[in-house]
Amino acid sequence: NAGVTQTPKFRILKIGQSMTLQCAQDMNHNYMYWYRQDPGMGLKLIYYSVGAGITDKGEVPNGYNVSRSTTEDFPLRLELAAPSQTSVYFCASSYSTGTGNTIYFGEGSWLTVV
Amino acid sequence: GQQVMQIPQYQHVQEGEDFTTYCNSSTTLSNIQWYKQRPGGHPVFLIQLVKSGEVKKQKRLTFQFGEAKKNSSLHITATQTTDVGTYFCAGGRVSSGNQFYFGTGTSLTVIP
């Protein structure tokens, strides 16, 4: 019962470094999402994908890139890390966005930029 | 942009007291979902409401969707320590590609 798997769970980056957060789901879901959650705050949508080869910006896409080459994988790329990107990142997936479709979340990736 | 606000931001209650969190959207929603996030954990789906004026119950939890489909509430009767966590609403809008926008969350602390 893997569901949505994110790696790494914790990471410390220096300003200007790059990294990729990996996300994989084994539920054959069409939709995948990346959210960030700042301490004590709600979830902000960074990017989402409605299927392989298709991605779109969410509320806070600046400083990030994504790709969706397969149904299963949806990596999030930080090119030039900044302290403002210190946050918890959640990958999520759903079968669609119609009524009755639950969003399943990964366990989160804690990122600190120093 | 999409605005989904929740109040209160924080709530401390004695075990056994009731708790309510309110979710308000600046625009009409197609549906609304509620999630619970335990401290250090990830959001977990609780329920979805679709119809105007809909009320759903899960044991001690009662969820309502407003008649205008712009607001919702979650009420917990007789809170227990296991209810601790942050409760988020997430509103879906057809005009936004059915994407769900999460509310700001209400953090519940239950004092034994």
Side-chain angles (χ1 to χ4, degrees):
Chain A
N1 258 8
V4 180
T5 303
Q6 290 181 236
T7 57
K9 195 166 180 69
F10 300 97
R11 183 73 186 268
I12 298 174
L13 276 183
K14 293 185 178 179
I15 293 171
Q17 284 186 321
S18 302
M19 77 159 297
T20 299
L21 297 175
Q22 302 291 343
C23 177
Q25 53 91 10
D26 62 358
M27 297 175 281
N28 201 31
H29 283 169
N30 296 319
Y31 286 72
M32 295 189 75
Y33 316 84
W34 274 105
Y35 289 91
R36 62 175 285 173
Q37 184 177 33
D38 297 332
M41 303 294 284
L43 295 135
K44 297 289 188 183
L45 182 64
I46 305 171
Y47 269 95
Y48 66 98
S49 168
V50 304
I54 306 169
T55 63
D56 212 341
K57 296 178 180 178
E59 301 170 85
V60 289
N62 292 342
Y64 306 94
N65 279 300
V66 293
S67 59
R68 185 93 182 271
S69 56
T70 67
T71 299
E72 294 78 19
D73 300 299
F74 190 41
L76 177 72
R77 178 88 178 154
L78 285 73
E79 289 293 349
L80 291 170
S84 61
Q85 293 178 303
T86 294
S87 191
V88 182
Y89 291 83
F90 288 100
C91 180
S93 72
S94 66
Y95 181 67
S96 76
T97 59
T99 58
N101 283 287
T102 304
I103 302 174
Y104 294 86
F105 285 84
E107 305 225 335
S109 297
W110 274 254
L111 177 66
T112 302
V113 182
V114 296
Chain B
Q2 176 77 7
Q3 292 283 341
V4 180
M5 303 299 294
Q6 278 182 256
I7 54 171
Q9 187 174 3
Y10 302 97
Q11 184 80 56
H12 292 67
V13 299
Q14 290 288 142
E15 189 173 16
E17 290 183 339
D18 292 355
F19 159 77
T20 304
T21 173
Y22 300 91
C23 179
N24 296 290
S25 170
S26 57
T27 56
T28 302
L29 302 170
S30 56
N31 52 72
I32 197 160
Q33 296 183 346
W34 283 92
Y35 291 79
K36 177 182 178 181
Q37 184 179 26
R38 294 184 186 277
H42 59 280
V44 175
F45 175 82
L46 292 176
I47 207 160
Q48 176 167 279
L49 303 169
V50 178
K51 299 176 184 175
S52 170
E54 188 171 11
V55 178
K56 285 188 177 180
K57 292 190 175 185
Q58 287 181 350
K59 296 183 180 178
R60 295 179 294 104
L61 277 62
T62 302
F63 304 83
Q64 290 188 325
F65 201 10
E67 294 289 342
K69 301 183 78 173
K70 282 187 172 184
N71 55 71
S72 182
S73 66
L74 158 60
H75 179 82
I76 302 178
T77 304
T79 54
Q80 300 175 358
T81 54
T82 52
D83 295 326
V84 164
T86 301
Y87 293 85
F88 292 98
C89 63
R93 278 201 315 171
V94 173
S95 59
S96 297
N98 268 332
Q99 293 313 310
F100 281 93
Y101 290 88
F102 280 76
T104 45
T106 296
S107 176
L108 173 64
T109 300
V110 179
I111 304 162

Coordinates of all heavy atoms in Angstrom, one line a residue, chain A residues 19-66:
Chain A
M19 N 17.9 21.4 -6.4 CA 17.6 20.0 -6.0 C 16.2 19.6 -6.6 O 15.4 20.5 -7.1 CB 17.5 19.9 -4.5 CG 16.2 20.4 -3.8 SD 15.9 19.7 -2.2 CE 15.7 18.0 -2.6
T20 N 16.0 18.4 -6.6 CA 14.7 17.8 -7.1 C 14.0 17.0 -6.0 O 14.7 16.1 -5.4 CB 14.9 16.9 -8.3 OG1 15.5 17.7 -9.3 CG2 13.6 16.4 -8.8
L21 N 12.8 17.3 -5.7 CA 11.9 16.5 -4.8 C 11.2 15.5 -5.7 O 10.6 15.8 -6.7 CB 10.9 17.4 -4.1 CG 11.5 18.4 -3.1 CD1 10.4 19.3 -2.6 CD2 12.3 17.8 -2.0
Q22 N 11.4 14.2 -5.3 CA 10.8 13.2 -6.1 C 9.4 12.8 -5.6 O 9.2 12.9 -4.3 CB 11.7 11.9 -6.1 CG 13.1 12.1 -6.6 CD 13.1 12.4 -8.1 OE1 12.1 12.1 -8.8 NE2 14.2 12.9 -8.6
C23 N 8.5 12.4 -6.4 CA 7.2 12.0 -6.0 C 6.7 10.9 -7.0 O 6.8 11.1 -8.2 CB 6.2 13.2 -6.1 SG 4.5 12.7 -5.7
A24 N 6.2 9.8 -6.4 CA 5.7 8.8 -7.2 C 4.4 8.3 -6.6 O 4.3 8.2 -5.3 CB 6.7 7.6 -7.3
Q25 N 3.4 7.9 -7.4 CA 2.2 7.3 -6.9 C 1.9 6.0 -7.7 O 2.1 5.9 -8.9 CB 1.0 8.3 -7.0 CG 0.8 8.9 -8.4 CD -0.2 8.2 -9.2 OE1 -0.9 7.2 -8.8 NE2 -0.3 8.6 -10.5
D26 N 1.3 5.1 -7.0 CA 1.1 3.7 -7.6 C -0.4 3.4 -7.7 O -0.8 2.3 -7.7 CB 1.8 2.7 -6.8 CG 1.3 2.5 -5.4 OD1 0.5 3.3 -5.0 OD2 1.8 1.7 -4.7
M27 N -1.2 4.5 -7.7 CA -2.7 4.3 -7.7 C -3.3 4.6 -9.1 O -4.5 4.6 -9.3 CB -3.3 5.3 -6.7 CG -2.9 4.9 -5.3 SD -3.5 6.1 -4.1 CE -2.4 7.5 -4.3
N28 N -2.4 4.8 -10.1 CA -2.8 5.1 -11.5 C -3.7 6.3 -11.6 O -4.6 6.4 -12.4 CB -3.6 3.9 -12.1 CG -3.6 3.9 -13.6 OD1 -2.6 4.4 -14.2 ND2 -4.6 3.4 -14.2
H29 N -3.4 7.3 -10.7 CA -4.1 8.6 -10.7 C -3.7 9.5 -11.9 O -2.5 9.6 -12.2 CB -3.9 9.3 -9.4 CG -4.7 8.7 -8.3 ND1 -4.5 9.1 -6.9 CD2 -5.7 7.8 -8.2 CE1 -5.3 8.4 -6.2 NE2 -6.1 7.6 -6.9
N30 N -4.7 10.1 -12.4 CA -4.4 11.1 -13.5 C -3.8 12.4 -13.0 O -2.9 12.9 -13.6 CB -5.6 11.4 -14.3 CG -6.2 10.2 -15.0 OD1 -5.4 9.4 -15.6 ND2 -7.5 10.0 -15.0
Y31 N -4.3 12.9 -11.9 CA -4.0 14.2 -11.4 C -2.9 14.1 -10.3 O -3.0 13.2 -9.4 CB -5.2 14.9 -10.8 CG -6.1 15.4 -11.8 CD1 -6.9 14.5 -12.6 CD2 -6.2 16.8 -12.1 CE1 -7.8 15.0 -13.5 CE2 -7.1 17.3 -13.0 CZ -7.9 16.4 -13.8 OH -8.8 16.9 -14.7
M32 N -1.9 14.9 -10.4 CA -0.9 15.0 -9.4 C -0.6 16.5 -9.1 O -0.8 17.4 -9.9 CB 0.4 14.3 -9.8 CG 0.2 12.8 -9.9 SD 1.7 11.9 -10.2 CE 2.4 11.9 -8.5
Y33 N -0.2 16.8 -7.8 CA -0.1 18.1 -7.3 C 1.1 18.3 -6.5 O 1.6 17.3 -5.9 CB -1.3 18.5 -6.5 CG -2.7 18.1 -7.0 CD1 -3.1 16.8 -6.7 CD2 -3.5 19.0 -7.7 CE1 -4.4 16.4 -7.2 CE2 -4.7 18.6 -8.1 CZ -5.2 17.3 -7.9 OH -6.4 16.9 -8.3
W34 N 1.6 19.5 -6.4 CA 2.6 19.9 -5.4 C 2.1 21.1 -4.6 O 1.7 22.1 -5.2 CB 4.0 20.2 -6.1 CG 4.8 19.1 -6.3 CD1 5.1 18.5 -7.5 CD2 5.6 18.3 -5.4 NE1 6.0 17.4 -7.4 CE2 6.3 17.3 -6.1 CE3 5.8 18.5 -4.0 CZ2 7.2 16.4 -5.4 CZ3 6.6 17.6 -3.3 CH2 7.3 16.6 -4.1
Y35 N 2.1 20.9 -3.3 CA 1.7 22.0 -2.4 C 2.9 22.3 -1.5 O 3.8 21.5 -1.2 CB 0.6 21.5 -1.5 CG -0.8 21.4 -2.2 CD1 -1.1 20.1 -2.7 CD2 -1.7 22.4 -2.3 CE1 -2.4 20.0 -3.3 CE2 -2.9 22.3 -2.9 CZ -3.3 21.0 -3.4 OH -4.5 20.9 -4.0
R36 N 3.0 23.5 -1.1 CA 3.9 23.9 0.0 C 3.1 24.4 1.2 O 2.0 25.0 1.0 CB 4.9 24.9 -0.4 CG 4.4 26.2 -0.9 CD 5.5 27.2 -1.2 NE 6.1 27.7 0.1 CZ 7.2 28.5 0.1 NH1 7.8 28.8 -1.0 NH2 7.7 28.9 1.2
Q37 N 3.6 24.1 2.4 CA 2.9 24.5 3.6 C 4.0 25.2 4.5 O 4.9 24.5 5.0 CB 2.3 23.3 4.3 CG 1.5 23.7 5.6 CD 0.8 22.5 6.2 OE1 1.4 21.4 6.2 NE2 -0.3 22.8 6.8
D38 N 3.9 26.5 4.7 CA 4.7 27.2 5.6 C 4.3 27.0 7.0 O 3.1 26.7 7.2 CB 4.7 28.7 5.2 CG 5.3 28.9 3.8 OD1 6.1 28.1 3.3 OD2 4.9 29.9 3.1
P39 N 5.2 27.2 8.0 CA 4.8 26.9 9.4 C 3.5 27.6 9.8 O 3.4 28.8 9.7 CB 6.0 27.4 10.2 CG 7.2 27.3 9.2 CD 6.6 27.6 7.8
G40 N 2.6 26.8 10.4 CA 1.3 27.4 10.9 C 0.4 27.9 9.8 O -0.6 28.6 10.1
M41 N 0.7 27.5 8.6 CA -0.2 28.1 7.5 C -0.9 27.0 6.7 O -0.6 25.8 7.0 CB 0.7 28.9 6.5 CG 1.5 30.0 7.2 SD 0.5 31.3 7.8 CE 0.0 32.1 6.3
G42 N -1.7 27.4 5.8 CA -2.4 26.4 4.9 C -1.5 25.9 3.8 O -0.3 26.2 3.7
L43 N -2.1 25.2 2.9 CA -1.4 24.6 1.8 C -1.6 25.5 0.5 O -2.7 26.0 0.2 CB -2.0 23.3 1.5 CG -1.7 22.2 2.6 CD1 -3.0 21.4 2.8 CD2 -0.6 21.3 2.1
K44 N -0.5 25.8 -0.1 CA -0.5 26.6 -1.4 C -0.2 25.7 -2.5 O 0.9 25.0 -2.5 CB 0.4 27.7 -1.3 CG 0.1 28.8 -0.2 CD -1.1 29.6 -0.5 CE -1.3 30.7 0.5 NZ -2.6 31.4 0.2
L45 N -0.9 25.7 -3.6 CA -0.7 24.9 -4.8 C 0.4 25.5 -5.6 O 0.3 26.7 -6.0 CB -2.0 24.8 -5.6 CG -1.9 23.9 -6.8 CD1 -1.7 22.5 -6.5 CD2 -3.2 24.0 -7.6
I46 N 1.5 24.7 -5.9 CA 2.6 25.2 -6.6 C 2.4 24.9 -8.1 O 2.4 25.8 -9.0 CB 3.9 24.5 -6.2 CG1 4.1 24.7 -4.7 CG2 5.1 25.1 -6.9 CD1 5.3 23.9 -4.1
Y47 N 2.3 23.6 -8.4 CA 2.0 23.1 -9.8 C 1.1 21.9 -9.7 O 1.0 21.3 -8.7 CB 3.3 22.7 -10.5 CG 4.1 23.7 -11.2 CD1 5.1 24.5 -10.6 CD2 3.7 24.0 -12.6 CE1 5.8 25.4 -11.3 CE2 4.4 25.0 -13.3 CZ 5.5 25.7 -12.7 OH 6.1 26.6 -13.4
Y48 N 0.4 21.7 -10.8 CA -0.4 20.5 -10.9 C -0.3 19.9 -12.3 O 0.2 20.6 -13.2 CB -1.8 20.7 -10.5 CG -2.6 21.6 -11.4 CD1 -3.5 21.0 -12.3 CD2 -2.6 23.0 -11.2 CE1 -4.2 21.8 -13.2 CE2 -3.3 23.8 -12.1 CZ -4.2 23.2 -13.0 OH -4.9 24.0 -13.8
S49 N -0.7 18.6 -12.4 CA -0.7 18.0 -13.7 C -1.9 17.1 -13.9 O -2.3 16.4 -13.0 CB 0.6 17.1 -13.8 OG 0.5 16.2 -14.9
V50 N -2.5 17.2 -15.0 CA -3.8 16.5 -15.3 C -3.5 15.2 -16.0 O -4.4 14.4 -16.3 CB -4.8 17.3 -16.1 CG1 -5.1 18.6 -15.3 CG2 -4.3 17.6 -17.5
G51 N -2.2 14.9 -16.3 CA -1.9 13.7 -17.0 C -0.5 13.8 -17.5 O 0.1 14.9 -17.5
A52 N 0.1 12.6 -17.9 CA 1.4 12.6 -18.5 C 1.6 13.6 -19.6 O 0.8 13.7 -20.5 CB 1.8 11.2 -18.9
G53 N 2.7 14.4 -19.5 CA 3.0 15.4 -20.5 C 2.3 16.7 -20.4 O 2.5 17.7 -21.2
I54 N 1.5 16.9 -19.3 CA 0.7 18.1 -19.2 C 0.9 18.6 -17.7 O 0.7 17.9 -16.8 CB -0.8 17.9 -19.4 CG1 -1.1 17.2 -20.7 CG2 -1.6 19.2 -19.2 CD1 -2.5 16.7 -20.9
T55 N 1.4 19.9 -17.6 CA 1.5 20.5 -16.3 C 1.0 21.9 -16.4 O 0.9 22.5 -17.5 CB 3.0 20.6 -15.9 OG1 3.7 21.4 -16.8 CG2 3.6 19.2 -15.8
D56 N 0.6 22.5 -15.2 CA 0.1 23.8 -15.2 C 0.5 24.5 -13.9 O 0.7 23.8 -12.9 CB -1.4 23.8 -15.4 CG -1.9 25.1 -16.1 OD1 -1.1 26.1 -16.1 OD2 -3.0 25.0 -16.7
K57 N 0.5 25.8 -13.9 CA 0.9 26.5 -12.7 C -0.3 26.6 -11.7 O -1.4 26.7 -12.1 CB 1.3 27.9 -13.1 CG 2.6 28.0 -13.9 CD 2.9 29.4 -14.3 CE 4.2 29.5 -15.1 NZ 4.5 30.8 -15.6
G58 N 0.1 26.6 -10.4 CA -0.9 26.8 -9.4 C -0.8 28.2 -8.9 O -0.6 29.2 -9.6
E59 N -1.0 28.4 -7.6 CA -1.0 29.7 -7.0 C 0.4 30.3 -6.8 O 0.6 31.5 -6.9 CB -1.6 29.7 -5.5 CG -3.0 29.2 -5.5 CD -3.4 28.9 -4.0 OE1 -3.8 29.9 -3.4 OE2 -3.3 27.8 -3.6
V60 N 1.4 29.5 -6.5 CA 2.8 30.0 -6.2 C 3.9 29.3 -7.0 O 4.7 28.6 -6.4 CB 3.0 29.9 -4.7 CG1 2.2 30.9 -3.9 CG2 2.8 28.5 -4.1
P61 N 3.9 29.4 -8.3 CA 4.8 28.6 -9.1 C 6.3 29.1 -9.2 O 7.2 28.4 -9.6 CB 4.2 28.6 -10.5 CG 3.5 29.9 -10.5 CD 3.0 30.2 -9.1
N62 N 6.5 30.4 -8.9 CA 7.8 31.0 -9.1 C 8.9 30.4 -8.3 O 8.7 30.2 -7.1 CB 7.7 32.5 -8.7 CG 6.8 33.3 -9.7 OD1 6.5 32.8 -10.8 ND2 6.4 34.5 -9.3
G63 N 10.0 30.0 -9.0 CA 11.1 29.4 -8.4 C 11.1 27.9 -8.5 O 12.0 27.3 -8.0
Y64 N 10.1 27.4 -9.1 CA 9.9 25.9 -9.2 C 9.6 25.5 -10.7 O 9.1 26.3 -11.5 CB 8.7 25.4 -8.4 CG 8.8 25.9 -6.9 CD1 8.1 27.0 -6.5 CD2 9.4 25.1 -6.0 CE1 8.1 27.4 -5.2 CE2 9.5 25.5 -4.7 CZ 8.8 26.7 -4.3 OH 8.8 27.1 -3.0
N65 N 10.0 24.3 -11.0 CA 9.6 23.6 -12.2 C 9.2 22.2 -12.0 O 9.7 21.6 -11.0 CB 10.8 23.7 -13.2 CG 10.9 25.0 -13.9 OD1 10.0 25.5 -14.6 ND2 12.1 25.7 -13.7
V66 N 8.3 21.7 -12.9 CA 7.9 20.3 -12.8 C 7.9 19.7 -14.1 O 8.0 20.4 -15.2 CB 6.5 20.2 -12.2 CG1 6.4 20.7 -10.8 CG2 5.5 21.0 -13.1

